[in-house]
Structures are given as structure tokens and as C-alpha cells.
Amino acid sequence: MTSAVKDEKAPELRGFREVQSLAYACAEAVAGRLKPGVTEREAARMQREWLRERGVRDWFHLPFAWFGDRTAFAGFKVPLQFFPTNRKLEPGMPFILDLAPVYKGFTADIGYSGCLGLNPLHDKLLADLEAHRELILREVRERRSLREIYENVERLMIKQGYANRHRAYPFGVMAHKVDRVAERRWSPQVFGFGTQSIKGLMSDALHGHRDGWSPLWSPYRFSDHPPQPGLWAVEPHLGFRGTGAKFEEILVVTDSKDPEQSAFWLDDDLPHVRRWAEERVAA
């Protein structure tokens, strides 16, 4: 982004940064309250309550929680399997909290990976995600197609010895666009997804189809185009047998000719980024 574009977009980006920070604060607060015996449904409810107490009234999607081998989407075949269950958390068990609140008309969609106690395998997956964050940013700046970047992320996962678990998501998506959402006094959900947010995504899909792009970042032909300017919630998801880990955060794509300003992560002050920095210092 040029300085002029940056000045013009700064208030809007602050709004997205604020809701993303709020979502990560929620994930960290709930993660700190998890203990043996807590169920996925209870963890999802804790996230909803925490955010509602802070003014959230609408959602891109309601919070998810996955424990144990469900962090790697083991055996997932249909969308209903993504919803929280009565699976109980146990010592040493990995977990993922995934939440997408809308706050003051701005949307975030984040993923937080943690573990109840020590788990060296989970630590390794989290450390290896850093290379994916770097690869995605570099190749978006190179204006490679979304489909090609997706394939390169998958190649890196395989090279690292992992399975690509975001292929289990609907349409195999690794990312999707996020945008402003009109605030309403009543904001219903359908199958856990906010109707206002889904309307916006469908509108993007219709406009994109006409103009040759998609708001979904997938391995399929409809994603065979350069990144469209806007904000993308990106979530590379690694799996190894019964353990999964991911991050999800907002990537900003612009139409700047300056490669370094053509794409950037909305915020580097996030739990997984801080973790990698601390590990480098400790090493």
C-alpha cells in the first residue's frame, strides 16, 4: 500500500484488527480455563459467553472447539461433524478453538491451537506452521494464483511429513474473504453461520464469478486466479495421525505495485507469532 492508500484504509483496518485481537483474547482466556473433563460444547459456550459479555451480537460463524483426534478431523465426512460434541478434554490432549465474531460491523475468523499439558508432537506441529505463514505471504506478493499457492502449501506439508487437513473443510478451502457486515438489531444464524455474513460471501461469489475470481481459496479451478484485493482469513491446518494444529488470521491484499505493500498480515502481535519469536530467542 502506498502511504495515501494506507492513510485511507487505516480506520477500516483498525476495525478489523480490533475484532481480531478481541477474538484472540477470547481464545486465550478460554484456553486458560480449560481443564480435564470440559467438553467441546462447554468450550464453545465459554467462547460465546465471553464475547457476548464484551458486546458481540453477530457472527460469521459461532465458535467451534475440537479436542484430541478431532483436531486432525479424524473421520470427518460430513459438515455436521465439525460442530462441537461431548468429547471431553484429557491431560496431554490437543485442542483447537475456532471463532468468528462480528464486532462494530467488522469481521474476524481466527484459529487457536493449544494443548492441555505437555505434548512434544503438538509443539512440533505449531513450530512447523511458521514456514507456512512465510510461504503464503511471499507467494501472494509474487501474485501467484490462489490455486498454485494452495498446492505449494500442501507440498510443504507433505515435505514436513504432515497431512493437509484443511482439505477436509467444505470445498477444501484454506482461506476465504472477510468484509464489513451491516449491523442489525437482530442477527440470526443458520447452521451456526450468521446470515448477514453469508449474504456478503454469496454476493462476493456472484460478483467474482462474473469477473473471474472466487472468495474461496481452494485447490479447484475456480481459485485459479491471483489474490483479489481485500481481506482474507487464512488457515493452514497440519495433521499427523491423531493430532492437528493450525492458525487462522487475516491477510490484507492490496493493488499496490510495491511487492512489500501488496500483501501483509493484519497484525503480528498474535499468540502463534509471539510463540515463534520466543522460541527463536530461547534457541
Side-chain angles (χ1 to χ4, degrees), residues 126-144 149-150 152-153 156-157 160 174 217 234-236 238 247 249-251 259-260 262-265 267-268 272-277 279-280:
L126 284 178
D128 287 343
L129 276 167
E130 183 176 16
H132 293 278
R133 192 176 191 263
E134 294 170 351
L135 182 152
I136 290 165
L137 179 59
R138 181 175 66 252
E139 297 200 348
V140 169
R141 287 175 169 175
E142 294 170 356
R143 294 301 196 219
R144 297 177 186 242
I149 299 170
Y150 188 110
N152 289 338
V153 167
L156 177 56
M157 290 182 178
Q160 291 173 324
M174 182 177 72
W217 187 334
V234 184
E235 52 182 333
L238 308 178
F247 66 80
E249 59 174 300
I250 293 176
L251 177 71
E260 290 192 3
S262 63
F264 53 91
W265 295 106
D267 193 354
D268 285 324
H272 49 283
V273 181
R274 293 194 298 266
R275 177 190 177 104
W276 296 329
E279 288 172 348
R280 282 194 295 274

Side-chain angles (χ1 to χ4, degrees), residues 248-261:
E248 184 173 12
E249 59 174 300
I250 293 176
L251 177 71
V252 182
V253 179
T254 79
D255 55 8
S256 172
K257 302 301 182 184
D258 179 349
E260 290 192 3
Q261 301 300 328

Side-chain angles (χ1 to χ4, degrees), residues 23-253:
Y24 266 109
C26 173
E28 290 188 295
V30 171
R33 294 168 55 195
L34 296 180
K35 58 185 179 181
V38 171
T39 68
E40 291 179 344
R41 285 178 177 152
E42 289 169 338
R45 186 175 65 247
M46 290 160 66
Q47 295 172 73
R48 291 197 305 272
E49 291 174 349
W50 193 97
L51 286 164
R52 282 173 177 155
E53 288 172 359
R54 288 154 182 83
V56 170
R57 296 292 179 268
D58 195 7
W59 312 84
F60 180 80
H61 66 70
L62 291 170
F64 294 104
W66 303 301
F67 295 168
D69 63 359
R70 284 173 52 79
T71 61
F73 297 160
F76 281 28
K77 301 294 183 185
V78 296
L80 289 176
Q81 290 175 289
F82 287 93
F83 288 94
T85 70
N86 286 323
R87 169 70 66 87
K88 293 182 178 180
L89 196 60
E90 300 173 9
M93 186 177 275
F95 61 83
I96 295 176
L97 306 177
D98 188 306
L99 54 153
V102 175
Y103 184 62
K104 299 179 181 177
F106 296 93
T107 310
D109 194 351
I110 70 108
Y112 179 93
S113 294
C115 191
L116 192 67
L118 299 177
N119 186 321
L121 172 59
H122 188 260
D123 290 344
K124 182 70 164 58
L125 266 70
L126 284 178
D128 287 343
L129 276 167
E130 183 176 16
H132 293 278
R133 192 176 191 263
E134 294 170 351
L135 182 152
I136 290 165
L137 179 59
R138 181 175 66 252
E139 297 200 348
V140 169
R141 287 175 169 175
E142 294 170 356
R143 294 301 196 219
R144 297 177 186 242
S145 78
L146 297 183
R147 188 180 188 184
E148 181 183 4
I149 299 170
Y150 188 110
E151 291 169 348
N152 289 338
V153 167
E154 189 165 66
R155 287 191 188 96
L156 177 56
M157 290 182 178
I158 293 169
K159 183 179 178 181
Q160 291 173 324
Y162 302 127
N164 172 2
R165 296 317 299 141
H166 51 260
R167 271 197 180 266
Y169 289 96
F171 304 106
V173 297
M174 182 177 72
H176 59 83
K177 284 197 76 180
V178 295
D179 211 332
R180 295 288 300 270
V181 175
E183 295 186 87
R184 297 283 189 270
R185 293 186 65 181
W186 184 58
S187 302
Q189 293 92 41
V190 177
F191 297 111
F193 286 80
T195 55
Q196 290 298 114
S197 297
I198 295 304
K199 283 180 184 177
L201 195 62
M202 290 177 65
S203 176
D204 270 350
L206 289 172
H207 291 139
H209 179 72
R210 184 181 61 222
D211 298 333
W213 62 273
S214 170
L216 302 179
W217 187 334
S218 83
Y220 302 114
R221 188 167 59 185
F222 61 76
S223 293
D224 204 3
H225 60 80
Q228 181 75 7
L231 279 69
W232 295 80
V234 184
E235 52 182 333
H237 192 154
L238 308 178
F240 184 80
R241 297 177 183 171
T243 299
K246 71 168 184 172
F247 66 80
E248 184 173 12
E249 59 174 300
I250 293 176
L251 177 71
V252 182
V253 179

